[in-house]
Amino acid sequence: MSAPLILAYGLGLAQAMLVLAMALAAWRVLRGPRAQDRVLGLDTVYLNGMLTIMVHGLRTGDGLSFEAALVIALLGFAATLALAKFLMQGEVIQ
Amino acid sequence: MELVLSLGIGVLAASGVWLLLRPRTFQAILGLSLLTYAVNLFIFAMGRLKVGAAPVLASGTDAAGIADPVPQALVLTALVISFALTALFLVVLLAARGVTGSDHVDGQEPGRREQGLGKSGR
Amino acid sequence: MSRLLPHPLLSLALAVMWLLLNAPVTPATLLLAGLVGWLVPFVMLALRPDAVRARAPGVILRLAGTVLVDVVRSNIDVAKVILGLNRGERRTGFVSIPLDLRDPYGLTVLSIIITGAPGTLWVQYESATGRLLLHVLDLTDGDDWVRRIKDRYERPLLEIFR
Amino acid sequence: MTDTDIPLWAACLVVALALGGAGFSLIGAIGLIRLRTFYERVHAPTLGATLGMALIVAASVVFFSMDEGRLVLRDLLIGLFLTVTTPVTLILLGRAATYRDRTEGNADAPPDP
Amino acid sequence: MSAWSDHLLVLPIVLPIAASGIMLLLDERRSGLKAAMSLATAAALLVVALALAAQVTDAPLIYRLGNWAAPYGIVLVADRLSVLMLLLTAVLGLFALVFAVARWDRAGPRFHALFLLLLMGVNGAFLTGDLFNLFVFFEVMLAASYGLVLHGSGEARIRAGLAYIAVNLIASLFFLVGVSLIYGTMGTLNMADLARRLSGPGSEDVVLVEAGCAVLGLAFLIKCSAWPLGFWLAPTYAAASAPAAAVLAILSKVGVYVVVRLSLLLFGAGVSEGFGQGWLFAVGLATVAYGTLGILGVRDVMRAAAYAVMISSGTVLGALGTGNRAALSGALFYLVGSTLAAAALFLLGEILQRGRDPAAASLAVFADEYRDPFDDEGATETGRVIPAASAIAGGAFLLCTLMLAGLPPLAGFIGKLAMFSGLAAGAMPGSAWAFIFLLTVSSLGTLVPLVRLGILGFWVPHDDPDPVIGPLEFTALAGLLGICLGLSLWGGTGLAYTDRAVEGLSNAAGYIHAVLGEGTP
Amino acid sequence: MPAEFLLVTAALLPFLGSVAVALLPRDARNAAALLAGGVTLAALACIGALFTHVGAGTVVRTFDWLPTLGVGLTLRLDGLAWLFAVLVLGIGALVVLYARYYMAAEDPVPRLFAFLLAFVGAMLNLVLAGNLIQLVMAWELTSVFSFLLIGYWYDNRAARDGARMALTITALGGLCLLAGMVVIGRIVGSYDLAVVLASGDAIRSSPLYLPALVLVLAAALTKSAQFPFHIWLPRAMAAPTPISAYLHSATMVKAGIFLMIRLWPVLAETDAWYWIVGTAGMATMLVGAWSAIFQHDLKGLLAYSTISHLGLITLLLGLNSRLAVVAAIFHTVNHATFKASLFMAAGIIDHETGTRDMRRLSGLWRAMPHTATLAMVAAAAMAGVPLLNGFLSKEMFLSEAVDNVGDHPVQLALPVLATVASAFTVLYSLRFIRQTFFGAPPHDLPHAPHEPVRWMRLPIEVLVLACVAVGLVPNLTIGPALEVATRAVFGNGGPDYDLAIWHGVNAPLALSMGALAGGVGLYFAFGRRINTNPRGGPWLMHRLDGGFLFERTMTGLVRGARWFERMFGATRLQAQLRTLFLVALIAGLSVALARGWPTLAPPSLAGIDPAFALLWLVGGACALGAAERAKYHRLSAVMLTGGAGLVGSLTFVWLSAPDLAVTQLLVEIVTTVLLLLGLRWLPKRDEAIVVTQQENRRARRRRVTDFVVAATVGTGLASLAYAVMTRPAPEGIARWFVEAAYPQAGGRNVVNVLLVDFRAFDTLGEISVLGIVGLTVFALLRRFRPAADSLERPRQQLRQEAADRARADREVGDTAADALLIPTVVITWLFPFVCVFALHLFLRGHDLPGGGFAAGIALTIAFILQYMARGAQWVEDRLRIRPIAWIGLGLLVAGLAGAVPWLFGRPFLTATFQYAEVPILGKIPMASAVAFDLGVVVLVVGASVLMLVALARQSLRRAREAAAEPEA
């Protein structure tokens, strides 16, 4: 077992797990039952998506996907925040 | 990968088209978004798929092996434009909803068409 | 100082962020980081945030350590709950906690800690009464939770944001 | 896919960290499915947002530091920002849920604080 | 690349950008200054177009943006057809603007910037030699047209605008799919390069390329409102404010232009020779027929003008579909004249409707943020009424009618005559007969309703006040129709020009050589 | 040269005169009349002076006009043209004089004279045309100007309708004429009249002869008011009488006759010609005469009489006899003189008595003996009384009718029918004279009748004098003109004819006399009954009301057009969109059918990353879920769309497009916020819409169709994508970009270099779009009017405020403030970090993923977060942003960055880059593209903030509105 091989398999597995996590969260988005469940699901989808991006960066080893991950980490909450606020207040900006 | 992506494009496009053909404005705008995703991916796919070969030249990368940058540039341009137009479409449908009082894409419910083509019911 | 450098801590943080983003450190990036750290905080002048007064760096560090340990522990706890590995009975529920902490920054940090640690969720805080409604996944002992929050987190925070 | 030449032990470490992180995230997602009420479910994603994320960030730091031969810490930014922003959403979401449950008079609506 | 005149080619795009940029920095209340700037820019565009017309020869003018060589960078290419369209745009833009300055430019915010950007989009579409860049300029032009269609708000505009935008957004998606498919199979975006690659031996993948071209063509056909893709046109143009509608008349011609350009360039020879020609012919005929039906049934002048726009597009498509060059030349000549006349008709329609339907004045809901432009009518300089306003309007209407119906002695007739005689000189298969027949029917079909509308508008006694034409509005009308008359007088020169333009279009090899430079076949 | 000069002068004078007259003030009747008359007379003089030249040959002058089409403007004066030109101008001059006194003082006559002169010009150019196309042009111009003349008194409905009908019918003919001329031009290879006239055999033997003939005749017959196109002529009587006199005697209707004579040498003498022209002429002659009998209106009688005489002339032309053509020409001239004088007389009667109804008129002889005499002479000429010109041509007609009796039964009837028609003519002429001028003195007339002014009578006197002169000494008067005209038509092959009054007792004379006697007899037999005929419609034909039929046809046409438009059009958006997709499918299918289906590589599971497949399982599920839920569960549909978008971004990451991933993610976030902002203004779920069973069924069917369409489009796009992706990439332009990016443009991120350098022009356009959309959104939202049901504040906020109010220890708004406490703090302090991040994206774009657009959107999100946390009012009190100015600035910066290279003689947007050696810092790349990118950032921030904020501010506006309402 060489290092690249271990990385390839290990990280591939990790990525698959994360995508699976995404899929489960997406299931929550689809199923609900309440709007808050969906928002929570979407937030989780975003989170796992970000982790997937990071692991993908590891797999390719070029680190170019860092910005994409950072965008989710720093700004991704804006979307879910807007949703949550919409639930709470009926409008996003008052 | 090609198979998966093309199936994905197909599903996105089909959902988008389906929604665009629905009577509610909100359905139309979501349909437009989905169709836009599909088209952007389609453009992107035209450059063929490569994993781990972003068109960023680090020292020593093999210029021949990296992904085709042109479709990516095209998608970026198209992305911006479609973002702008989605926003516009949204506002126009809000305005239409404001002046017609209906969120039907034709500005009136189909059953109430006889009341006159030019004027809204209000 | 304050006219030229309105938020020194912020400046430092931004400069560090810039350096992290643009590693490796070269004279050019250092210079830019300095510029960024100096200039960007001026945008905050427009927003006029409340001033932050954080003291007692030692307490901060200690608190950080506590939180780190708690987070890891509760991660494992929650993982067990989810996977059904915990022993039998499990109760979830709300806990109401009267808080003495009023500083918005303190509250913010507290909320981040509480929410960040799996198993607890900051649900509702009433500024009028200072009471906090907490949701706890594994609610074995209500009083214990009140004490835990107040002792482990609120007290250091009160110290920091005096 | 990866044509890096980091030592074997580092590779093992990276993989272990990444798998650990992915595991925690996955458990969190499972929790999202398995737990029965919203207030229970809302705890689940935090798993991924805290430990899961932290492990993967660590993996990333280790990997790129070994790969580039210097300390690469920029991934810490991701951890930092995520830690700050995730609670914001969850708090508001929880608040929205309580509000909705109370106005609808649901049985499991939380009590007033 | 040193003399200023070398940069002439990019000015039709840069000037409006610069002018609108400056205007956006100005406060909204400085409408006089903005109007002046805007008029000056439009006039400058006309001068540039004239200068280009003086420069253009058999070899197209080339401008390499960013100094990058042809298939890689974006090039602007101006041959006779592009220059002709530029001229048309400039003329139309200038006079529509003159008309708008009389009152319409204050019916909503930022009219001038939008207007100039529309001109920029149109000019860009006429000049670019790159498929994707064409897409971008299409979008610029469309985005601005959305703005202009909605300019002035009001229910009819918003309703029509919604459909207009929806249809054109889908057209844009088609455009993208088509372009990218072509890129994916041919590996290039430059039109000349594409033509060069297509003129070579075909591969098995030619079906994919052609599918791309077909989808792309659909996008253009939607924009030139070909049947059955153009149902959006009439309600939209009829609802738009008059100056906007007038300048929109050129918009559908952009689609026509591109179809003409690409089908002659790409499918003139090589693997896909004659691709789509039969379809174009059928679609052109169907469009003329549909437009004629539409115009026969119209109730108001604006809508009639809209259908006239449709007929004129269909005519060119049909002429292109016959594959007869002389007919195409006549059709292009007809296009110029009919576009100007349709624009004038839009303006006239507004003048006629002005006093009649108070509902047309849109609803101002938020008085605090919105100054109704018609409130301060007395304060503007256009209040003075030319006593002969009715006569002028009537005369102008008559001229428009003659132009659009293709009756002598105006330019519309010359165009039709050139088409007929071109078709008659050819082999005269059934299709040519059908085309001649249909065009004759459509002439009559245009004449009958326009005469009806003219009689209704000018002759039938009514209580409404007679139309009022301000000096600026008169200038706009006179300018547009004066050019129509000029086209009639110097029809020979015009036809000679379009003849050579078609010749240039058909000479794909020359185009390719000019764009790609030496060393290409 | 002087001859040509005279010719050109004559051809142009009326038009110039028209313009001059039009510019006169509206009450300048004398000046207008003088000018008009002078112009006409001057032109007449020019033409008259050319008679000697015409005798010697043809005068031609050609101007180039459309050389590529072989169309020049040729003035060609031969004998025929001369004759007609003199007729046009001579009678024109008399009409001008007459009109001066006929028209009321308050009429704006300059307009009338202007139109009249223009019409004269058109008519003159019609007869002078030396080119077929020019002839068509003049032809249509006569239609147009006659339209204006007939509609002169447009306040009358009759005038409007008459004008419209005349134009419609004659213009239809004109369009046919154009087509016909084009066909002739194709056969001959030239439009030049001289060439065409020389190619008679070629034309007649061409397979295209029949179409050409039919088309040309369609024109001639419509213009000359031949049955069944005659209906426009009586209705054109609504014109002022001088105009009727002119249009229906010498001009307009004679244009058709002229055309047939002109082309007689090349089109006639075939069976087709014989049957079409002859039949039309015969039918018209009879129908016209029959109808004329029953008219009570003087002008109506004259109108139908005109139709009848035109039929007669047409019949003559249709006989395929050269002698008949001479007769036709002769009768044309005669008809012009007597009919013009009769119209003028009728006008005088109308003018002086106030009515034209023969039933009310009688005994005018006493009041206006002079006029009566003139009218009687003219009527007699019309009736064909000997010693007048009408007799001569009538005689020729009857003799032709007798001579051309053929074998066919229809042909046998020719002399009989000709005699019958002549008898009818006598009948109505007699009726006209008898009822108007004889009998008891008139009573109960609007005006007391008296002789008109001297000058008004003068034109009639001149014309009647001509009738008499021609009738008495034809060879001295009309002879030479007729001779040159005949020669112009037939060259040297013209027939021999004799214009003598007396040919001896022969069959024609007998028929002529018989007709006279018959007419008189019939009048005395039926005269009274005709007068009591109520509506004036002719017996047997009163149901054939041309006007009614025409109107019916027109409305039917409009209705039919609307129906077809509905059938083949679509007004509803859904239908339009469905059509778009269907057409796209058809287009794709037709290509595939023509070229063969593209081969698809067999799908294989090898090489598929299971994670990627799973990812797209999520993406597909999200998309389908969104499609399913969008109708009622909008919020979840938004989320699912977001999920699909996220999957797209991840795909970009996966497949080596980091720039795309970043941008798509950012756009994704902004779009979600945008959609949510919009969602606020949409109606709540409206299930109250009552749907009928039938509608329900229709909806279900529509859904099935839509499903099929959607699935097919999806399949098509997917297979296209798959087909392309599985083929090897073409050797395209991509490689060059990769190789040139760093060495030539100084950037490592090829995508970004493409955007800001290689294809910066695209980016310039792209940001323009963004700016434009920003402005449009702004403009729309400034006048936004929310629907009534979304005007009130959201339920949630009202409840929360009520709850706050209910508790003593809380103030209104506390609930919201508490809920947002933490987010607000975090978001406030996140602001500078996002700014730094944006700066980072911007600065490193050229070398690594990022770039201006991403930076701009990131900044926008930073702004929006502030809005979300604090509300619009709070933010706008603090951050003074002028987004519109930002848009302008962005455009300017980007444009300037592009224009700077001009200073160095480089093309627009030429980027320069170099490495600047800075002490301490080392080499710093200074790509000028960064300046361009800066413009992008500024514009993007301006436009997207503008859009979001404009939308967000609607809530504020509503609050303000609610506050303002109670006061109002």
Side-chain angles (χ1 to χ4, degrees), chain E residues 32-89:
Chain E
L33 176 62
K34 283 194 206 165
M37 276 179 70
S38 182
L39 284 173
T41 313
L45 287 180
L46 184 57
V47 172
V48 169
L50 284 170
L52 282 173
Q55 270 189 17
V56 72
T57 56
D58 283 334
L61 306 170
I62 306 291
Y63 191 83
R64 295 190 168 79
L65 284 155
N67 217 5
W68 299 112
Y72 310 115
I74 294 170
V75 284
L76 300 182
V77 187
D79 62 357
R80 285 203 173 84
L81 182 62
S82 324
V83 171
L84 178 68
M85 300 309 280
L86 279 187
L87 257 176
L88 183 59
T89 314

Side-chain angles (χ1 to χ4, degrees), chain B residues 1-30 33-35 37-42 44-59 62-64 66-81 83-106 108-113 117 120 122, chain F residues 571-574 577-578 581 603 607-609 612-613 616 620 623-624 626-627 630-631 634 637-638 641 644-645 651-652 654-660 663-664 667-668 670-671 674-675 678-679 681-683 689 695 703 706-707 709-711 713-714 717-718 720-722 724-725 727-730 734-735 737-738 741-742 747-751 754-755 759 766 769-770 773 776-777 780-781 784-790 847-849 853 857 944 947 951:
Chain B
M1 302 299 255
E2 284 81 8
L3 185 65
V4 174
L5 185 60
S6 45
L7 284 177
I9 291 173
V11 171
L12 281 180
S15 314
V17 171
W18 162 262
L19 277 180
L20 270 169
L21 296 177
R22 296 299 90 216
R24 302 284 142 199
T25 48
F26 199 72
Q27 292 173 311
I29 197 162
L30 287 187
S33 294
L34 287 177
L35 197 55
Y37 293 152
V39 170
N40 284 341
L41 284 167
F42 183 85
F44 175 68
M46 291 301 110
R48 311 300 189 273
L49 308 184
K50 291 222 166 84
V51 179
V56 176
L57 306 161
S59 47
D62 173 20
I66 69 175
D68 187 344
V70 180
Q72 297 195 16
L74 304 191
V75 174
L76 269 178
T77 306
L79 201 64
V80 178
I81 290 176
F83 159 66
L85 295 181
T86 307
L88 176 69
F89 192 55
L90 176 77
V91 171
V92 172
L93 69 84
L94 289 182
R97 145 96 173 123
V99 294
T100 62
S102 160
D103 71 333
H104 194 280
V105 283
D106 291 324
Q108 62 209 347
E109 300 306 324
R112 301 174 199 159
R113 211 141 77 98
L117 288 162
S120 73
R122 312 188 309 121
Chain F
T571 48
R572 312 200 34 200
L573 181 60
Q574 283 163 274
L577 298 184
R578 202 176 294 126
F581 289 119
I608 293 182
D609 192 330
F612 190 70
W616 270 102
L624 292 175
K631 185 165 187 188
R634 298 197 188 114
V638 171
T641 311
T651 307
F652 289 138
W654 214 293
L655 299 171
S656 322
D659 280 280
L660 283 183
T663 314
Q664 160 104 29
V667 167
E668 187 57 50
V670 178
T671 310
L674 203 66
L675 287 176
L679 206 52
W681 301 101
L682 287 177
I689 296 174
E695 241 170 69
R703 273 201 290 276
D706 289 350
F707 183 82
V709 170
V713 170
L717 205 60
L720 277 179
Y722 186 71
V724 174
M725 279 190 282
R727 281 164 166 68
R735 198 185 166 82
F737 289 120
V738 173
Y742 193 66
R748 293 186 186 278
N749 180 359
V750 188
V751 176
L754 268 166
L755 285 177
R759 298 184 67 88
E766 160 205 316
V769 173
L770 203 56
V773 168
T776 307
V777 166
L780 260 179
L781 288 177
F784 177 61
R785 186 180 68 170
D789 56 316
S790 43
D847 286 334
L848 289 163
F853 180 74
I857 290 285
S944 23
M947 287 189 267
L951 205 46

Side-chain angles (χ1 to χ4, degrees), chain E residues 1 63-64 66 68 130 133 152 187 197 205 210 227 231 271 297 307 366 368-369 424 426 452 488 492, chain F residues 65 186 191 558 562 565 568 584 595 727 731-733 757 759 762 782-784 905-908 957 960-961:
Chain E
M1 286 278 183
Y63 191 83
R64 295 190 168 79
W68 299 112
D130 184 282
N133 193 239
R197 284 162 197 252
D205 284 347
E210 287 188 357
W227 187 88
F231 305 133
V271 263
Y307 279 113
F366 304 107
D368 57 342
E369 297 197 16
R452 188 181 66 220
S488 320
Chain F
W65 186 43
R186 173 186 158 91
Y191 295 121
V558 170
R562 285 188 188 144
E565 195 197 346
F568 294 103
R595 285 286 183 181
R727 281 164 166 68
E731 189 47 52
I733 53 177
D757 193 345
R759 298 184 67 88
D762 278 349
R782 268 189 26 167
R783 309 187 67 188
F784 177 61
R906 298 277 176 75
F908 191 68
R957 145 172 302 170
R960 202 180 311 154
E961 186 127 318

Side-chain angles (χ1 to χ4, degrees), chain C residues 2 6 8 24 26 34 40-41 52 62 68 70 77 83 87 94 102 108 121 123 129 135-136 141 145 149 159 162:
Chain C
S2 70
T26 62
V40 174
V52 188
R62 199 148 17 90
L68 218 59
D70 284 357
D77 288 345
L83 296 176
R87 65 268 163 232
F94 294 91
R102 291 297 157 98
T108 304
L121 177 70
V123 174
T129 54
H135 185 264
V136 182
D141 181 1
W145 276 102
I149 300 292
E159 237 173 290
R162 236 176 334 207

Side-chain angles (χ1 to χ4, degrees), chain F residues 783-906:
Chain F
R783 309 187 67 188
F784 177 61
R785 186 180 68 170
D789 56 316
S790 43
L791 202 58
E792 67 195 36
R793 303 189 53 195
R795 222 175 32 224
Q796 289 96 324
Q797 292 180 25
L798 296 177
R799 281 216 191 112
Q800 284 158 15
E801 284 173 12
D804 285 344
R805 239 177 256 119
R807 278 178 50 178
D809 58 342
R810 300 180 63 109
E811 284 173 31
V812 173
D814 269 3
T815 306
D818 284 352
L820 285 170
L821 175 70
I822 310 296
T824 304
V825 171
V826 172
I827 286 171
T828 308
W829 287 95
L830 219 46
F831 189 60
F833 290 92
V834 182
C835 291
V836 170
F837 179 55
L839 194 63
H840 165 74
L841 282 178
F842 167 64
L843 278 183
R844 57 178 257 142
H846 218 48
D847 286 334
L848 289 163
F853 180 74
I857 290 285
L859 264 185
T860 307
I861 296 178
F863 276 109
I864 283 308
L865 280 173
Q866 299 306 315
Y867 271 83
M868 281 200 280
R870 317 302 274 266
Q873 197 67 64
W874 188 94
V875 178
E876 278 168 23
D877 288 345
R878 285 162 177 77
L879 293 173
R880 294 218 59 79
I881 31 179
R882 288 181 55 210
I884 293 191
W886 283 56
I887 295 177
L889 195 66
L891 275 182
L892 277 181
V893 169
L896 273 179
V900 164
W902 282 348
L903 300 178
F904 307 101
R906 298 277 176 75

